[in-house]
């Protein structure tokens, strides 16, 4: 008999690509993960994981088992949801991981609404970038992720997650006041090809949006400065340290007197935001009301 928790460990190894990283995500020791994998291989009669100096990857047999593991774990989530519904599910805690502007734009309003519509549900919020929050959901560290589309993100057909579209917003160009294009209207990204750029860390979904938009315009941005804090990005632009692309909602409430904000000409780079839960958990009586309020907040 294959134990479900060992399937969960197998999926974590596939997601994190090393036993050490999977163990850290699951709050286990690497030796405990290795022992569970060995037990799973004994249960199945197949070698499931190959290890090398570059990490760990699933064998063909491991990939076959993983495809079934995703379906099994999703069905267990549905079972938990139905049992919680049977027990009324009117009180409990939902944990959510979201990036900073997403917290302000949709998570906080959803919390306010939920306090009126379902006062027995408490929500705990953790600040996490979009590429981190999805793994936190899969590792059962949180129940819901508010994440951003990025290269390598699980797609809508991923059988581990259920995605709920929330909103899309354009990025605007942030320019120093003395920039030659600061006094104009819309800015063509190709006109900024020779500028120094202020960007986000590699792996941050906003970094991907900037790089892809510049590639589409025919150049690779030359990042002179890196910060994941948009206030710091704006401050650097005001000091004439470079130009940047910033999501429009992130500029709300900032002091923009020392920079120029210009829309991007043509097809503007866009941040697409969605909520994600483990497949099967979307109908859980604690999670479903929160997803409803997230949708409502995004639509307002």
């Amino acid at each position: 008999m294959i134990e479900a928790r060992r399937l969960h460990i197998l999926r974590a190894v596939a997601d994190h690509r090393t036993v050490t990283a999977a163990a850290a995500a699951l709050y286990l020791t690497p030796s405990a993960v290795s022992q569970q994998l060995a037990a799973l291989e004994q249960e199945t009669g197949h070698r499931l994981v190959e290890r090398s100096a570059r990490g760990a990857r699933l064998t063909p047999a491991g990939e076959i088992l993983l495809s079934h593991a995703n379906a099994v774990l999703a069905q267990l989530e549905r079972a938990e949801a139905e049992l919680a519904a049977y027990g009324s599910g009117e009180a409990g805690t939902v944990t959510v991981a979201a990036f900073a502007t997403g917290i302000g734009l949709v998570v906080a309003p959803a919390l306010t609404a939920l306090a009126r519509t379902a006062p027995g549900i408490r929500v705990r919020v953790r600040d996490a970038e979009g590429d981190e929050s999805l793994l936190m959901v899969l590792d059962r560290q949180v129940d819901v992720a508010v994440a951003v589309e990025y290269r390598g993100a699980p797609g809508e057909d991923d059988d581990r997650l259920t995605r709920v579209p929330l909103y899309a917003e354009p990025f605007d160009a942030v320019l120093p006041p003395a920039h030659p294009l600061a006094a104009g209207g819309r800015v063509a990204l190709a006109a900024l090809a020779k500028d120094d750029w202020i960007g986000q860390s590699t792996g941050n979904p906003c970094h991907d949006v900037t790089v892809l938009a510049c590639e589409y315009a025919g150049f690779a941005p030359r990042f002179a400065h890196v910060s994941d804090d948009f206030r710091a990005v704006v401050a650097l632009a005001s000091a004439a340290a470079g130009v940047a692309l910033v999501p429009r909602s992130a500029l709300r409430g900032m002091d923009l007197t020392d920079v120029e904000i210009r829309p991007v000409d043509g097809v503007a780079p866009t941040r697409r935001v969605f909520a994600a839960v483990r497949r099967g958990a979307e109908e859980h009586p604690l999670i479903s009301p929160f997803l409803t309020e997230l949708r409502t907040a995004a639509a307002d």
Side-chain angles (χ1 to χ4, degrees):
M1 178 70 70
I2 297 175
E3 290 191 18
R5 69 188 176 109
R6 290 174 181 157
L7 295 178
H8 182 58
I9 289 172
L10 181 71
R11 185 163 78 178
V13 171
D15 288 337
H16 293 278
R17 299 180 184 176
T18 72
V19 168
T20 301
L26 298 174
Y27 300 104
L28 297 171
T29 64
S31 62
V33 169
S34 296
Q35 289 170 10
Q36 293 299 320
L37 289 174
L40 185 60
E41 289 181 329
Q42 186 173 7
E43 287 171 345
T44 61
H46 293 278
R47 187 179 182 186
L48 303 173
V49 178
E50 290 183 348
R51 304 189 199 186
S52 69
R54 291 178 293 180
R57 67 182 184 87
L58 299 192
T59 65
E63 293 288 354
I64 291 171
L65 182 58
L66 179 63
S67 66
H68 290 284
N70 290 331
V72 168
L73 294 173
Q75 190 60 40
L76 287 174
E77 292 285 352
R78 294 187 187 98
E80 289 182 10
E82 289 189 19
L83 286 171
Y86 177 76
S88 80
E90 295 179 356
T93 301
V94 175
T95 54
V96 55
F99 57 99
T101 50
I103 291 172
L105 201 60
V106 293
V107 175
L111 264 63
T112 301
L114 205 62
R116 296 191 304 269
T117 60
I121 299 176
R122 294 192 305 163
V123 180
R124 298 187 184 278
V125 181
R126 295 178 59 176
D127 190 321
E129 293 299 334
D131 56 326
E132 300 170 333
S133 61
L134 294 175
L135 283 177
M136 292 168 71
V137 167
L138 291 171
D139 292 334
R140 301 184 69 88
Q141 296 178 29
V142 299
D143 301 306
V144 182
V146 175
V148 177
E149 195 70 65
Y150 63 95
R151 271 191 292 198
E156 294 182 1
D157 59 346
D158 191 296
D159 57 7
R160 301 170 299 171
L161 295 168
T162 295
R163 293 173 28 144
V164 178
L166 294 177
Y167 64 93
E169 62 173 326
F171 281 58
D172 290 325
V174 180
L175 308 177
H179 193 280
L181 299 177
R186 293 182 173 272
V187 172
L189 287 183
L192 304 176
K194 295 183 179 180
D195 284 271
D196 284 339
W197 279 73
I198 309 158
Q200 287 69 56
S201 304
T202 301
N204 185 314
C206 290
H207 172 85
D208 271 358
V209 172
T210 297
V211 170
L212 286 170
C214 292
E215 287 177 357
Y216 186 77
F219 70 98
R222 184 176 64 245
F223 291 110
H225 310 280
V226 174
S227 175
D228 291 327
D229 185 328
F230 289 121
R231 292 186 182 275
V233 171
V234 169
L236 288 168
S238 70
V243 301
L245 290 174
V246 174
R248 190 165 291 171
S249 67
L251 296 170
R252 295 176 185 173
M254 286 194 199
D255 181 0
L256 303 175
T257 54
D258 294 326
V259 293
E260 295 295 333
I261 309 299
R262 294 287 177 264
V264 174
D265 192 29
V267 179
T270 301
R271 174 160 73 172
R272 303 185 187 282
V273 179
F274 60 93
V277 300
R278 292 179 294 277
R279 182 154 296 196
E282 61 273 11
E283 296 302 325
H284 192 287
L286 298 178
I287 294 174
S288 179
F290 180 62
L291 292 177
T292 296
E293 298 301 348
L294 282 178
R295 290 191 199 97
T296 302
D300 288 346

